[in-house]
Amino acid sequence: MSVPVPSRQAQKERTREAILAAALGLSHDHGFAQLSLRQVTRAAGVVPTAFYRHFDSMDEVGLALVEQSFGTLREMIRGAQRDPDIVDNLIDASADVLVAAVKHNREHFAFVARERLGGSAAVRAAIQHELELFISELAVFLARVPQLSGWSSNDVTMVSGLFVRNMVYRAEQVVETPDGRPDLEEEIKRKARREMRMVVLGFRDWKS
């Protein structure tokens, strides 16, 4: 019985994913900006010439990792936004979705947390761009909240930014939380909910 031979495209995709996985793993100990192409290709089990079939530079690897990291979060948030229960219970649900997303993709969130302020200029800019996109997407969702129906788009975006900055800070705390400590996770959720409720209390009296 013959064994199926992987297609050329499938092999290329596996090589690309191996490079990304190697860079992600190595960045945990060394920081992405300190990684060399040779370190990454050695860990991925490929030769340097194979690297250049997929990426022009290490910065391109970093940009691909940023895209992967935010892509996963965006999928979870969009899925959550389609749930009517979450629309009705935005604060509690947001805290739950955030912690679940970080736990399922800890390496990617740790990468973003490390590189958001201390990575290469290209990677930092890409992370900032993704955060701005996230704020814009969340603003579209928040515009459906009845209390914000009369607000200007700029003010809705401002509130969205407050929520996102809170989420980024709390996500970084979840990354640092040891496995098997649900008590610490619940404490992070509690604080996130409390802070978001404080923001929401301002909705009633704010004049756009």
Side-chain angles (χ1 to χ4, degrees):
M1 184 174 178
S2 61
V3 178
V5 178
S7 68
R8 184 179 180 84
Q9 184 58 38
Q11 289 177 327
K12 286 181 65 177
E13 187 59 30
R14 277 204 295 271
T15 299
R16 184 179 188 276
E17 290 303 314
I19 292 169
L20 290 174
L24 184 62
L26 289 170
S27 70
H28 178 74
D29 295 322
H30 306 288
F32 182 81
Q34 306 304 316
L35 296 182
S36 69
L37 184 153
R38 191 168 296 278
Q39 283 177 296
V40 172
T41 53
R42 186 185 302 118
V46 300
V47 295
T49 52
F51 176 96
Y52 287 111
R53 297 191 189 107
H54 301 275
F55 303 100
D56 290 333
S57 65
M58 283 297 297
D59 272 347
E60 278 200 5
V61 175
L63 298 183
L65 288 174
V66 171
E67 185 178 350
Q68 275 189 349
S69 302
F70 281 92
T72 302
L73 176 61
R74 191 174 289 113
E75 286 177 12
M76 292 191 71
I77 295 297
R78 287 174 178 171
Q81 289 175 356
R82 291 190 289 269
D83 186 338
D85 292 335
I86 287 181
V87 176
D88 295 336
N89 193 22
L90 176 64
I91 291 176
D92 288 348
S94 296
D96 291 336
V97 169
L98 176 66
V99 171
V102 176
K103 287 179 65 179
H104 282 81
N105 303 277
R106 190 182 295 270
E107 278 194 318
H108 282 97
F109 278 93
F111 171 81
V112 170
R114 285 192 305 272
E115 307 302 323
R116 184 169 68 92
L117 300 175
S120 72
V123 172
R124 289 199 311 271
I127 291 172
Q128 184 59 39
H129 177 67
E130 290 287 351
L131 287 173
E132 294 297 332
L133 287 177
F134 191 31
I135 289 171
S136 297
E137 286 195 18
L138 182 59
V140 172
F141 176 67
L142 289 176
R144 296 157 51 190
V145 176
Q147 294 93 325
L148 277 63
S149 60
W151 285 27
S152 70
S153 59
N154 284 342
D155 283 356
V156 175
T157 300
M158 175 184 67
V159 171
S160 177
L162 292 175
F163 278 132
V164 169
R165 282 186 282 276
N166 176 274
M167 293 172 69
V168 168
Y169 175 62
R170 295 304 173 190
E172 291 174 352
Q173 287 189 315
V174 177
V175 166
E176 297 300 324
T177 300
D179 290 332
R181 291 298 306 272
D183 57 319
L184 297 180
E185 293 171 10
E186 288 302 319
E187 179 64 9
I188 291 170
K189 290 182 188 179
R190 187 190 68 79
K191 290 179 179 177
R193 289 169 182 146
R194 184 177 175 85
E195 290 158 353
M196 286 190 282
R197 285 194 179 99
M198 183 176 289
V199 173
V200 170
L201 285 174
F203 287 5
R204 180 175 47 203
D205 298 323
W206 181 261
K207 304 301 180 185
S208 188

